[in-house]
Amino acid sequence: MFLVLPVLPLTLIVAGYVQDTGPVTIALIIGLFGWAPGARTLRAQTLSLRGRDFVMAMRMLGETRTRLIFVEVLPHLAGWISAMFLHLVLGAVLAEAGLAFLGISSADTVSWGTIIDQARQVALLNGMWWWFVPPGLCIALLGTATGLVNFGIDEVMNPRLRTADIKAMRKALA
């Protein structure tokens, strides 16, 4: 049901309806409506791994369910989990900045959205376009940083890349 709900309008309605829109309330509202795509992707990957040959072979050998989950399946999901986590964190930061830009946050809360909103109110009328650059650049750098961290984690955690790196190292050393 959460996958078909329009997240942005519903978040705006709930955040506008709640009287105390502090940072914790905004984070809870974003988390309430933002978890579904990541959970669906993780479930699909888990079901895909469950039917693979190496899991079936371990099941036929009599491995316990706990060992299958923690030793065989979870290491293959670590890259997906980190990617989904970083994607959801970036989405939550962007959603909070968007809500703050639209004025749905407490007045004493400082965020990139409130900074851009104040720059829009003050600087745009006076022709000072450079007030938008620091918060916009911070948001862009956060997106780039999460992408790079995700790429690095995938390089370390992906078993296919690891075996290719090991083969390349063995070939170079031989």
Side-chain angles (χ1 to χ4, degrees):
M1 181 179 142
F2 278 94
L3 287 171
V4 297
L5 293 174
V7 176
L8 182 62
L10 199 57
T11 305
L12 287 172
I13 290 169
V14 171
Y17 182 73
V18 175
Q19 298 297 324
D20 178 33
T21 54
V24 174
T25 307
I26 295 294
L28 287 174
I29 291 169
I30 291 170
L32 178 67
F33 298 115
W35 64 270
R40 181 177 182 183
T41 305
L42 186 62
R43 181 180 183 275
Q45 288 300 320
T46 305
L47 291 176
S48 170
L49 281 174
R50 190 177 82 178
R52 296 240 178 119
D53 291 338
F54 67 93
V55 175
M56 297 298 270
M58 296 300 280
R59 189 178 297 162
M60 295 301 260
L61 288 173
E63 287 295 334
T64 62
R65 190 175 242 174
T66 306
R67 179 165 166 73
L68 278 174
I69 291 170
F70 287 108
V71 175
E72 299 297 330
V73 175
L74 201 57
H76 285 81
L77 290 176
W80 284 98
I81 292 171
S82 67
M84 286 279 80
F85 177 74
L86 290 173
H87 179 71
L88 291 174
V89 166
L90 180 62
V93 168
L94 292 175
E96 191 279 328
L99 289 174
F101 176 75
L102 293 174
I104 301 177
S105 75
S106 61
D108 58 345
T109 303
V110 177
S111 76
W112 289 326
T114 56
I115 295 170
I116 292 174
D117 183 43
Q118 290 172 356
R120 180 188 57 84
Q121 292 174 358
V122 176
L124 195 60
L125 297 174
N126 297 326
M128 295 182 276
W129 57 268
W130 55 89
W131 280 29
F132 294 100
V133 173
L137 190 62
C138 286
I139 291 172
L141 287 175
L142 180 69
T144 304
T146 55
L148 290 174
V149 167
N150 186 22
F151 181 72
I153 289 173
D154 190 41
E155 286 279 328
V156 171
M157 301 299 278
N158 193 342
R160 291 183 183 174
L161 294 176
R162 248 189 329 212
T163 56
D165 288 341
I166 291 170
K167 288 179 183 176
M169 284 180 12
R170 286 183 183 161
K171 187 176 181 180
L173 293 175

